[in-house]
Amino acid sequence: MAARHIGLPTRVAAGTVVYSATGITLERGRRRLLDEVNLEVRAGEVLSLLGPNGAGKSTLLRILSGDLEPDAGTVMFGGRNLKEWSLLDLSRRRSVLLQDNQLLFPFTVHQVVEMGRAPWRRTALEDEDNEAISESIEATDIGHLGSRRVPSLSGGERARTAFARVIAGRTGMLMLDEPTAALDLGHQEAVLTLARERAAEGDAVLIVLHDLNLAAAYSDRIALLREGQLVACGEPSEVLNAETLSEVYRTPVEVIPHPTTGHGIVLPIRSQG
């Protein structure tokens, strides 16, 4: 039976559990990509998913977003089973940037960002379109690219354009799969600063990251995955310790405090000579 449309979203209080995943399991062939993963995502926080290549980070984000269905387990969103939501209602409540997002059609940058406002057509919030689009373009530093066709952009410019489309939706939940992967240092910091600001305003932010130091600096909590299993979940200072990381990443590391912020800095231990 098709999901019933339930209207426009309302804000929830910071700390409210927005997503609840219980027993999430997914197999492909003889390989178990996710193995009974339990996870909560809360409003007002940045939760980062970390782990080695193949740990299941992107797969878990896709399941939470509704893009992929698990073999076992339950995902609750806003107090309802994820399966009960219509695609329109979901698109008004969470914005998703997948890792394999490909912007190859010959749209202009401005047209792509406009697509982020599609869920609000024929609603009262449609009046915010111009403001939301302008803010997103400015925040991602792509104003000078507005009339450029997407196929002509560099990888980093495409990534920033895709991110602008996502934040233009102004939903209460951002789900970002490696949003900093193709970006230079300055734009990496800008993207995660914006994610941090959205969380401070009460949004829930779920990010897949590879950079442990970015995660340490910008996350409220970190979920660490290895071979489809959730190894640890907690504040960065709890999860990002040398013993756990050395085991999970199978390489020796040390964790030292940043001299200014106190955030952990993860460094590989390299032999001399």
Side-chain angles (χ1 to χ4, degrees), residues 141-179:
D141 189 28
I142 56 173
H144 60 295
L145 303 173
S147 61
R148 289 269 302 274
R149 301 284 175 179
V150 169
S152 73
L153 303 178
S154 69
E157 290 167 342
R158 290 185 192 182
R160 281 149 50 203
T161 299
F163 182 60
R165 173 185 58 79
V166 167
I167 62 175
R170 289 185 170 180
T171 63
M173 173 82 201
L174 286 178
M175 312 184 81
L176 310 172
D177 194 351
E178 297 192 39

PDB file of all heavy atoms in Angstrom, residues 141-179:
ATOM      1  N   ASP A 141      30.449  28.881  -2.208  1.00  0.00           N
ATOM      2  CA  ASP A 141      31.423  29.588  -3.035  1.00  0.00           C
ATOM      3  C   ASP A 141      31.330  29.185  -4.506  1.00  0.00           C
ATOM      4  O   ASP A 141      32.332  28.916  -5.179  1.00  0.00           O
ATOM      5  CB  ASP A 141      32.839  29.335  -2.507  1.00  0.00           C
ATOM      6  CG  ASP A 141      33.888  30.211  -3.178  1.00  0.00           C
ATOM      7  OD1 ASP A 141      33.535  31.320  -3.625  1.00  0.00           O
ATOM      8  OD2 ASP A 141      35.058  29.776  -3.262  1.00  0.00           O
ATOM      9  N   ILE A 142      30.098  29.160  -5.028  1.00  0.00           N
ATOM     10  CA  ILE A 142      29.931  28.811  -6.445  1.00  0.00           C
ATOM     11  C   ILE A 142      29.187  29.908  -7.208  1.00  0.00           C
ATOM     12  O   ILE A 142      28.712  29.681  -8.321  1.00  0.00           O
ATOM     13  CB  ILE A 142      29.179  27.463  -6.621  1.00  0.00           C
ATOM     14  CG1 ILE A 142      27.811  27.494  -5.918  1.00  0.00           C
ATOM     15  CG2 ILE A 142      30.027  26.301  -6.120  1.00  0.00           C
ATOM     16  CD1 ILE A 142      26.967  26.266  -6.200  1.00  0.00           C
ATOM     17  N   GLY A 143      29.110  31.103  -6.627  1.00  0.00           N
ATOM     18  CA  GLY A 143      28.392  32.189  -7.296  1.00  0.00           C
ATOM     19  C   GLY A 143      28.950  32.504  -8.666  1.00  0.00           C
ATOM     20  O   GLY A 143      28.198  32.825  -9.592  1.00  0.00           O
ATOM     21  N   HIS A 144      30.274  32.393  -8.821  1.00  0.00           N
ATOM     22  CA  HIS A 144      30.901  32.695 -10.110  1.00  0.00           C
ATOM     23  C   HIS A 144      30.683  31.601 -11.142  1.00  0.00           C
ATOM     24  O   HIS A 144      31.035  31.755 -12.306  1.00  0.00           O
ATOM     25  CB  HIS A 144      32.405  32.905  -9.917  1.00  0.00           C
ATOM     26  CG  HIS A 144      33.112  31.704  -9.360  1.00  0.00           C
ATOM     27  ND1 HIS A 144      32.874  31.208  -8.087  1.00  0.00           N
ATOM     28  CD2 HIS A 144      34.058  30.895  -9.911  1.00  0.00           C
ATOM     29  CE1 HIS A 144      33.638  30.156  -7.882  1.00  0.00           C
ATOM     30  NE2 HIS A 144      34.363  29.938  -8.971  1.00  0.00           N
ATOM     31  N   LEU A 145      30.073  30.490 -10.714  1.00  0.00           N
ATOM     32  CA  LEU A 145      29.853  29.357 -11.621  1.00  0.00           C
ATOM     33  C   LEU A 145      28.404  29.250 -12.089  1.00  0.00           C
ATOM     34  O   LEU A 145      28.069  28.325 -12.822  1.00  0.00           O
ATOM     35  CB  LEU A 145      30.232  28.044 -10.923  1.00  0.00           C
ATOM     36  CG  LEU A 145      31.654  27.927 -10.382  1.00  0.00           C
ATOM     37  CD1 LEU A 145      31.792  26.641  -9.580  1.00  0.00           C
ATOM     38  CD2 LEU A 145      32.665  27.956 -11.515  1.00  0.00           C
ATOM     39  N   GLY A 146      27.553  30.179 -11.682  1.00  0.00           N
ATOM     40  CA  GLY A 146      26.110  30.041 -11.860  1.00  0.00           C
ATOM     41  C   GLY A 146      25.651  29.635 -13.240  1.00  0.00           C
ATOM     42  O   GLY A 146      24.757  28.811 -13.397  1.00  0.00           O
ATOM     43  N   SER A 147      26.250  30.195 -14.295  1.00  0.00           N
ATOM     44  CA  SER A 147      25.800  29.907 -15.657  1.00  0.00           C
ATOM     45  C   SER A 147      26.595  28.790 -16.325  1.00  0.00           C
ATOM     46  O   SER A 147      26.302  28.420 -17.463  1.00  0.00           O
ATOM     47  CB  SER A 147      25.886  31.175 -16.510  1.00  0.00           C
ATOM     48  OG  SER A 147      27.222  31.645 -16.577  1.00  0.00           O
ATOM     49  N   ARG A 148      27.588  28.243 -15.625  1.00  0.00           N
ATOM     50  CA  ARG A 148      28.400  27.163 -16.193  1.00  0.00           C
ATOM     51  C   ARG A 148      27.596  25.871 -16.247  1.00  0.00           C
ATOM     52  O   ARG A 148      26.797  25.558 -15.364  1.00  0.00           O
ATOM     53  CB  ARG A 148      29.643  26.948 -15.350  1.00  0.00           C
ATOM     54  CG  ARG A 148      30.690  28.053 -15.438  1.00  0.00           C
ATOM     55  CD  ARG A 148      31.706  27.791 -16.521  1.00  0.00           C
ATOM     56  NE  ARG A 148      32.405  26.541 -16.333  1.00  0.00           N
ATOM     57  CZ  ARG A 148      33.494  26.386 -15.574  1.00  0.00           C
ATOM     58  NH1 ARG A 148      33.986  27.426 -14.904  1.00  0.00           N
ATOM     59  NH2 ARG A 148      34.078  25.211 -15.487  1.00  0.00           N
ATOM     60  N   ARG A 149      27.824  25.075 -17.288  1.00  0.00           N
ATOM     61  CA  ARG A 149      27.217  23.761 -17.400  1.00  0.00           C
ATOM     62  C   ARG A 149      28.005  22.773 -16.545  1.00  0.00           C
ATOM     63  O   ARG A 149      29.235  22.788 -16.530  1.00  0.00           O
ATOM     64  CB  ARG A 149      27.206  23.298 -18.855  1.00  0.00           C
ATOM     65  CG  ARG A 149      26.448  24.237 -19.789  1.00  0.00           C
ATOM     66  CD  ARG A 149      24.953  24.094 -19.643  1.00  0.00           C
ATOM     67  NE  ARG A 149      24.228  25.073 -20.465  1.00  0.00           N
ATOM     68  CZ  ARG A 149      22.905  25.140 -20.530  1.00  0.00           C
ATOM     69  NH1 ARG A 149      22.166  24.291 -19.816  1.00  0.00           N
ATOM     70  NH2 ARG A 149      22.314  26.046 -21.277  1.00  0.00           N
ATOM     71  N   VAL A 150      27.295  21.912 -15.856  1.00  0.00           N
ATOM     72  CA  VAL A 150      27.930  21.015 -14.897  1.00  0.00           C
ATOM     73  C   VAL A 150      29.043  20.158 -15.503  1.00  0.00           C
ATOM     74  O   VAL A 150      30.103  19.996 -14.887  1.00  0.00           O
ATOM     75  CB  VAL A 150      26.864  20.137 -14.216  1.00  0.00           C
ATOM     76  CG1 VAL A 150      27.512  19.018 -13.410  1.00  0.00           C
ATOM     77  CG2 VAL A 150      25.998  20.990 -13.302  1.00  0.00           C
ATOM     78  N   PRO A 151      28.875  19.587 -16.705  1.00  0.00           N
ATOM     79  CA  PRO A 151      29.965  18.758 -17.242  1.00  0.00           C
ATOM     80  C   PRO A 151      31.281  19.506 -17.437  1.00  0.00           C
ATOM     81  O   PRO A 151      32.334  18.879 -17.542  1.00  0.00           O
ATOM     82  CB  PRO A 151      29.403  18.275 -18.588  1.00  0.00           C
ATOM     83  CG  PRO A 151      27.931  18.309 -18.413  1.00  0.00           C
ATOM     84  CD  PRO A 151      27.677  19.519 -17.560  1.00  0.00           C
ATOM     85  N   SER A 152      31.239  20.831 -17.470  1.00  0.00           N
ATOM     86  CA  SER A 152      32.460  21.609 -17.671  1.00  0.00           C
ATOM     87  C   SER A 152      33.193  21.907 -16.370  1.00  0.00           C
ATOM     88  O   SER A 152      34.286  22.471 -16.386  1.00  0.00           O
ATOM     89  CB  SER A 152      32.126  22.930 -18.373  1.00  0.00           C
ATOM     90  OG  SER A 152      31.464  23.826 -17.483  1.00  0.00           O
ATOM     91  N   LEU A 153      32.635  21.504 -15.234  1.00  0.00           N
ATOM     92  CA  LEU A 153      33.206  21.827 -13.936  1.00  0.00           C
ATOM     93  C   LEU A 153      34.288  20.829 -13.533  1.00  0.00           C
ATOM     94  O   LEU A 153      34.299  19.674 -13.982  1.00  0.00           O
ATOM     95  CB  LEU A 153      32.117  21.832 -12.868  1.00  0.00           C
ATOM     96  CG  LEU A 153      30.926  22.764 -13.066  1.00  0.00           C
ATOM     97  CD1 LEU A 153      29.942  22.590 -11.919  1.00  0.00           C
ATOM     98  CD2 LEU A 153      31.361  24.207 -13.197  1.00  0.00           C
ATOM     99  N   SER A 154      35.166  21.264 -12.659  1.00  0.00           N
ATOM    100  CA  SER A 154      36.126  20.352 -12.062  1.00  0.00           C
ATOM    101  C   SER A 154      35.419  19.472 -11.035  1.00  0.00           C
ATOM    102  O   SER A 154      34.263  19.720 -10.661  1.00  0.00           O
ATOM    103  CB  SER A 154      37.239  21.143 -11.363  1.00  0.00           C
ATOM    104  OG  SER A 154      36.724  21.795 -10.204  1.00  0.00           O
ATOM    105  N   GLY A 155      36.116  18.442 -10.543  1.00  0.00           N
ATOM    106  CA  GLY A 155      35.505  17.559  -9.556  1.00  0.00           C
ATOM    107  C   GLY A 155      35.096  18.293  -8.299  1.00  0.00           C
ATOM    108  O   GLY A 155      34.014  18.058  -7.742  1.00  0.00           O
ATOM    109  N   GLY A 156      35.956  19.204  -7.834  1.00  0.00           N
ATOM    110  CA  GLY A 156      35.629  19.956  -6.628  1.00  0.00           C
ATOM    111  C   GLY A 156      34.466  20.895  -6.829  1.00  0.00           C
ATOM    112  O   GLY A 156      33.622  21.071  -5.935  1.00  0.00           O
ATOM    113  N   GLU A 157      34.380  21.516  -8.006  1.00  0.00           N
ATOM    114  CA  GLU A 157      33.263  22.414  -8.309  1.00  0.00           C
ATOM    115  C   GLU A 157      31.955  21.640  -8.388  1.00  0.00           C
ATOM    116  O   GLU A 157      30.915  22.115  -7.925  1.00  0.00           O
ATOM    117  CB  GLU A 157      33.548  23.156  -9.607  1.00  0.00           C
ATOM    118  CG  GLU A 157      34.667  24.179  -9.495  1.00  0.00           C
ATOM    119  CD  GLU A 157      35.150  24.695 -10.837  1.00  0.00           C
ATOM    120  OE1 GLU A 157      34.879  24.037 -11.874  1.00  0.00           O
ATOM    121  OE2 GLU A 157      35.806  25.740 -10.863  1.00  0.00           O
ATOM    122  N   ARG A 158      31.999  20.444  -8.945  1.00  0.00           N
ATOM    123  CA  ARG A 158      30.790  19.615  -8.992  1.00  0.00           C
ATOM    124  C   ARG A 158      30.360  19.227  -7.576  1.00  0.00           C
ATOM    125  O   ARG A 158      29.163  19.218  -7.259  1.00  0.00           O
ATOM    126  CB  ARG A 158      31.039  18.351  -9.808  1.00  0.00           C
ATOM    127  CG  ARG A 158      31.210  18.572 -11.295  1.00  0.00           C
ATOM    128  CD  ARG A 158      31.332  17.254 -12.026  1.00  0.00           C
ATOM    129  NE  ARG A 158      31.783  17.443 -13.390  1.00  0.00           N
ATOM    130  CZ  ARG A 158      31.939  16.462 -14.271  1.00  0.00           C
ATOM    131  NH1 ARG A 158      31.674  15.219 -13.922  1.00  0.00           N
ATOM    132  NH2 ARG A 158      32.358  16.722 -15.499  1.00  0.00           N
ATOM    133  N   ALA A 159      31.336  18.890  -6.748  1.00  0.00           N
ATOM    134  CA  ALA A 159      31.013  18.497  -5.377  1.00  0.00           C
ATOM    135  C   ALA A 159      30.360  19.644  -4.622  1.00  0.00           C
ATOM    136  O   ALA A 159      29.386  19.442  -3.889  1.00  0.00           O
ATOM    137  CB  ALA A 159      32.286  18.038  -4.661  1.00  0.00           C
ATOM    138  N   ARG A 160      30.858  20.839  -4.791  1.00  0.00           N
ATOM    139  CA  ARG A 160      30.279  21.995  -4.108  1.00  0.00           C
ATOM    140  C   ARG A 160      28.890  22.310  -4.649  1.00  0.00           C
ATOM    141  O   ARG A 160      27.993  22.723  -3.900  1.00  0.00           O
ATOM    142  CB  ARG A 160      31.204  23.199  -4.247  1.00  0.00           C
ATOM    143  CG  ARG A 160      32.363  23.147  -3.279  1.00  0.00           C
ATOM    144  CD  ARG A 160      33.623  23.793  -3.794  1.00  0.00           C
ATOM    145  NE  ARG A 160      33.400  25.138  -4.318  1.00  0.00           N
ATOM    146  CZ  ARG A 160      34.220  25.727  -5.198  1.00  0.00           C
ATOM    147  NH1 ARG A 160      35.275  25.076  -5.660  1.00  0.00           N
ATOM    148  NH2 ARG A 160      33.980  26.950  -5.608  1.00  0.00           N
ATOM    149  N   THR A 161      28.690  22.103  -5.947  1.00  0.00           N
ATOM    150  CA  THR A 161      27.372  22.326  -6.539  1.00  0.00           C
ATOM    151  C   THR A 161      26.359  21.324  -5.992  1.00  0.00           C
ATOM    152  O   THR A 161      25.229  21.686  -5.646  1.00  0.00           O
ATOM    153  CB  THR A 161      27.443  22.215  -8.070  1.00  0.00           C
ATOM    154  OG1 THR A 161      28.343  23.210  -8.579  1.00  0.00           O
ATOM    155  CG2 THR A 161      26.080  22.395  -8.701  1.00  0.00           C
ATOM    156  N   ALA A 162      26.776  20.074  -5.893  1.00  0.00           N
ATOM    157  CA  ALA A 162      25.881  19.046  -5.351  1.00  0.00           C
ATOM    158  C   ALA A 162      25.544  19.339  -3.893  1.00  0.00           C
ATOM    159  O   ALA A 162      24.402  19.160  -3.458  1.00  0.00           O
ATOM    160  CB  ALA A 162      26.539  17.667  -5.476  1.00  0.00           C
ATOM    161  N   PHE A 163      26.521  19.812  -3.137  1.00  0.00           N
ATOM    162  CA  PHE A 163      26.288  20.143  -1.733  1.00  0.00           C
ATOM    163  C   PHE A 163      25.345  21.338  -1.614  1.00  0.00           C
ATOM    164  O   PHE A 163      24.460  21.360  -0.752  1.00  0.00           O
ATOM    165  CB  PHE A 163      27.621  20.443  -1.051  1.00  0.00           C
ATOM    166  CG  PHE A 163      27.495  20.750   0.408  1.00  0.00           C
ATOM    167  CD1 PHE A 163      26.955  19.827   1.288  1.00  0.00           C
ATOM    168  CD2 PHE A 163      27.922  21.962   0.919  1.00  0.00           C
ATOM    169  CE1 PHE A 163      26.839  20.100   2.640  1.00  0.00           C
ATOM    170  CE2 PHE A 163      27.818  22.259   2.267  1.00  0.00           C
ATOM    171  CZ  PHE A 163      27.273  21.322   3.126  1.00  0.00           C
ATOM    172  N   ALA A 164      25.498  22.319  -2.491  1.00  0.00           N
ATOM    173  CA  ALA A 164      24.598  23.479  -2.489  1.00  0.00           C
ATOM    174  C   ALA A 164      23.159  23.047  -2.741  1.00  0.00           C
ATOM    175  O   ALA A 164      22.223  23.563  -2.118  1.00  0.00           O
ATOM    176  CB  ALA A 164      25.046  24.496  -3.535  1.00  0.00           C
ATOM    177  N   ARG A 165      22.968  22.107  -3.662  1.00  0.00           N
ATOM    178  CA  ARG A 165      21.620  21.601  -3.930  1.00  0.00           C
ATOM    179  C   ARG A 165      21.019  20.981  -2.681  1.00  0.00           C
ATOM    180  O   ARG A 165      19.840  21.194  -2.360  1.00  0.00           O
ATOM    181  CB  ARG A 165      21.674  20.558  -5.056  1.00  0.00           C
ATOM    182  CG  ARG A 165      20.347  19.842  -5.288  1.00  0.00           C
ATOM    183  CD  ARG A 165      20.470  18.745  -6.324  1.00  0.00           C
ATOM    184  NE  ARG A 165      21.463  17.752  -5.979  1.00  0.00           N
ATOM    185  CZ  ARG A 165      21.282  16.767  -5.101  1.00  0.00           C
ATOM    186  NH1 ARG A 165      20.113  16.665  -4.459  1.00  0.00           N
ATOM    187  NH2 ARG A 165      22.231  15.897  -4.854  1.00  0.00           N
ATOM    188  N   VAL A 166      21.823  20.234  -1.947  1.00  0.00           N
ATOM    189  CA  VAL A 166      21.330  19.550  -0.756  1.00  0.00           C
ATOM    190  C   VAL A 166      20.922  20.542   0.335  1.00  0.00           C
ATOM    191  O   VAL A 166      19.850  20.428   0.932  1.00  0.00           O
ATOM    192  CB  VAL A 166      22.409  18.568  -0.240  1.00  0.00           C
ATOM    193  CG1 VAL A 166      22.053  18.080   1.154  1.00  0.00           C
ATOM    194  CG2 VAL A 166      22.537  17.389  -1.190  1.00  0.00           C
ATOM    195  N   ILE A 167      21.784  21.529   0.604  1.00  0.00           N
ATOM    196  CA  ILE A 167      21.461  22.448   1.706  1.00  0.00           C
ATOM    197  C   ILE A 167      20.372  23.441   1.316  1.00  0.00           C
ATOM    198  O   ILE A 167      19.721  24.022   2.196  1.00  0.00           O
ATOM    199  CB  ILE A 167      22.712  23.184   2.209  1.00  0.00           C
ATOM    200  CG1 ILE A 167      23.334  24.054   1.114  1.00  0.00           C
ATOM    201  CG2 ILE A 167      23.723  22.194   2.761  1.00  0.00           C
ATOM    202  CD1 ILE A 167      24.498  24.883   1.616  1.00  0.00           C
ATOM    203  N   ALA A 168      20.134  23.636   0.007  1.00  0.00           N
ATOM    204  CA  ALA A 168      19.057  24.526  -0.417  1.00  0.00           C
ATOM    205  C   ALA A 168      17.684  24.002   0.021  1.00  0.00           C
ATOM    206  O   ALA A 168      16.736  24.768   0.154  1.00  0.00           O
ATOM    207  CB  ALA A 168      19.084  24.712  -1.930  1.00  0.00           C
ATOM    208  N   GLY A 169      17.599  22.699   0.265  1.00  0.00           N
ATOM    209  CA  GLY A 169      16.324  22.116   0.681  1.00  0.00           C
ATOM    210  C   GLY A 169      15.873  22.556   2.058  1.00  0.00           C
ATOM    211  O   GLY A 169      14.690  22.456   2.381  1.00  0.00           O
ATOM    212  N   ARG A 170      16.802  23.014   2.880  1.00  0.00           N
ATOM    213  CA  ARG A 170      16.483  23.485   4.241  1.00  0.00           C
ATOM    214  C   ARG A 170      15.670  22.466   5.039  1.00  0.00           C
ATOM    215  O   ARG A 170      14.705  22.807   5.736  1.00  0.00           O
ATOM    216  CB  ARG A 170      15.742  24.819   4.201  1.00  0.00           C
ATOM    217  CG  ARG A 170      16.597  26.003   3.776  1.00  0.00           C
ATOM    218  CD  ARG A 170      15.830  27.308   3.866  1.00  0.00           C
ATOM    219  NE  ARG A 170      16.717  28.463   3.677  1.00  0.00           N
ATOM    220  CZ  ARG A 170      16.307  29.731   3.711  1.00  0.00           C
ATOM    221  NH1 ARG A 170      15.020  29.999   3.922  1.00  0.00           N
ATOM    222  NH2 ARG A 170      17.162  30.720   3.536  1.00  0.00           N
ATOM    223  N   THR A 171      16.050  21.208   4.935  1.00  0.00           N
ATOM    224  CA  THR A 171      15.386  20.179   5.730  1.00  0.00           C
ATOM    225  C   THR A 171      16.035  20.106   7.106  1.00  0.00           C
ATOM    226  O   THR A 171      17.098  20.682   7.344  1.00  0.00           O
ATOM    227  CB  THR A 171      15.500  18.805   5.045  1.00  0.00           C
ATOM    228  OG1 THR A 171      16.886  18.439   4.958  1.00  0.00           O
ATOM    229  CG2 THR A 171      14.886  18.838   3.649  1.00  0.00           C
ATOM    230  N   GLY A 172      15.410  19.374   8.003  1.00  0.00           N
ATOM    231  CA  GLY A 172      15.929  19.245   9.355  1.00  0.00           C
ATOM    232  C   GLY A 172      16.947  18.142   9.521  1.00  0.00           C
ATOM    233  O   GLY A 172      17.429  17.898  10.636  1.00  0.00           O
ATOM    234  N   MET A 173      17.302  17.468   8.409  1.00  0.00           N
ATOM    235  CA  MET A 173      18.243  16.354   8.482  1.00  0.00           C
ATOM    236  C   MET A 173      19.134  16.377   7.249  1.00  0.00           C
ATOM    237  O   MET A 173      18.643  16.354   6.107  1.00  0.00           O
ATOM    238  CB  MET A 173      17.474  15.023   8.529  1.00  0.00           C
ATOM    239  CG  MET A 173      18.347  13.787   8.441  1.00  0.00           C
ATOM    240  SD  MET A 173      19.052  13.355  10.034  1.00  0.00           S
ATOM    241  CE  MET A 173      20.449  12.346   9.548  1.00  0.00           C
ATOM    242  N   LEU A 174      20.445  16.451   7.466  1.00  0.00           N
ATOM    243  CA  LEU A 174      21.411  16.364   6.370  1.00  0.00           C
ATOM    244  C   LEU A 174      22.110  15.016   6.441  1.00  0.00           C
ATOM    245  O   LEU A 174      22.615  14.626   7.504  1.00  0.00           O
ATOM    246  CB  LEU A 174      22.457  17.473   6.469  1.00  0.00           C
ATOM    247  CG  LEU A 174      22.037  18.891   6.103  1.00  0.00           C
ATOM    248  CD1 LEU A 174      23.221  19.844   6.315  1.00  0.00           C
ATOM    249  CD2 LEU A 174      21.565  18.964   4.662  1.00  0.00           C
ATOM    250  N   MET A 175      22.158  14.305   5.315  1.00  0.00           N
ATOM    251  CA  MET A 175      22.832  13.017   5.230  1.00  0.00           C
ATOM    252  C   MET A 175      23.864  13.139   4.113  1.00  0.00           C
ATOM    253  O   MET A 175      23.508  13.202   2.926  1.00  0.00           O
ATOM    254  CB  MET A 175      21.825  11.904   4.959  1.00  0.00           C
ATOM    255  CG  MET A 175      20.607  11.971   5.870  1.00  0.00           C
ATOM    256  SD  MET A 175      19.443  10.606   5.652  1.00  0.00           S
ATOM    257  CE  MET A 175      20.242   9.332   6.603  1.00  0.00           C
ATOM    258  N   LEU A 176      25.131  13.164   4.485  1.00  0.00           N
ATOM    259  CA  LEU A 176      26.200  13.513   3.549  1.00  0.00           C
ATOM    260  C   LEU A 176      27.231  12.397   3.485  1.00  0.00           C
ATOM    261  O   LEU A 176      27.846  12.046   4.496  1.00  0.00           O
ATOM    262  CB  LEU A 176      26.882  14.808   4.002  1.00  0.00           C
ATOM    263  CG  LEU A 176      25.950  15.987   4.324  1.00  0.00           C
ATOM    264  CD1 LEU A 176      26.761  17.129   4.942  1.00  0.00           C
ATOM    265  CD2 LEU A 176      25.213  16.445   3.076  1.00  0.00           C
ATOM    266  N   ASP A 177      27.427  11.867   2.297  1.00  0.00           N
ATOM    267  CA  ASP A 177      28.398  10.789   2.102  1.00  0.00           C
ATOM    268  C   ASP A 177      29.673  11.365   1.499  1.00  0.00           C
ATOM    269  O   ASP A 177      29.720  11.721   0.325  1.00  0.00           O
ATOM    270  CB  ASP A 177      27.810   9.715   1.186  1.00  0.00           C
ATOM    271  CG  ASP A 177      28.623   8.426   1.207  1.00  0.00           C
ATOM    272  OD1 ASP A 177      29.722   8.434   1.802  1.00  0.00           O
ATOM    273  OD2 ASP A 177      28.164   7.429   0.631  1.00  0.00           O
ATOM    274  N   GLU A 178      30.693  11.482   2.307  1.00  0.00           N
ATOM    275  CA  GLU A 178      32.000  12.006   1.906  1.00  0.00           C
ATOM    276  C   GLU A 178      31.893  13.352   1.178  1.00  0.00           C
ATOM    277  O   GLU A 178      32.364  13.503   0.052  1.00  0.00           O
ATOM    278  CB  GLU A 178      32.744  10.987   1.056  1.00  0.00           C
ATOM    279  CG  GLU A 178      33.068   9.698   1.800  1.00  0.00           C
ATOM    280  CD  GLU A 178      34.039   8.816   1.051  1.00  0.00           C
ATOM    281  OE1 GLU A 178      34.984   9.354   0.450  1.00  0.00           O
ATOM    282  OE2 GLU A 178      33.843   7.595   1.069  1.00  0.00           O
ATOM    283  N   PRO A 179      31.285  14.347   1.809  1.00  0.00           N
ATOM    284  CA  PRO A 179      31.097  15.640   1.138  1.00  0.00           C
ATOM    285  C   PRO A 179      32.392  16.405   0.916  1.00  0.00           C
ATOM    286  O   PRO A 179      32.428  17.354   0.132  1.00  0.00           O
ATOM    287  CB  PRO A 179      30.177  16.395   2.106  1.00  0.00           C
ATOM    288  CG  PRO A 179      30.510  15.826   3.447  1.00  0.00           C
ATOM    289  CD  PRO A 179      30.775  14.365   3.186  1.00  0.00           C
TER     290      PRO A 179
END
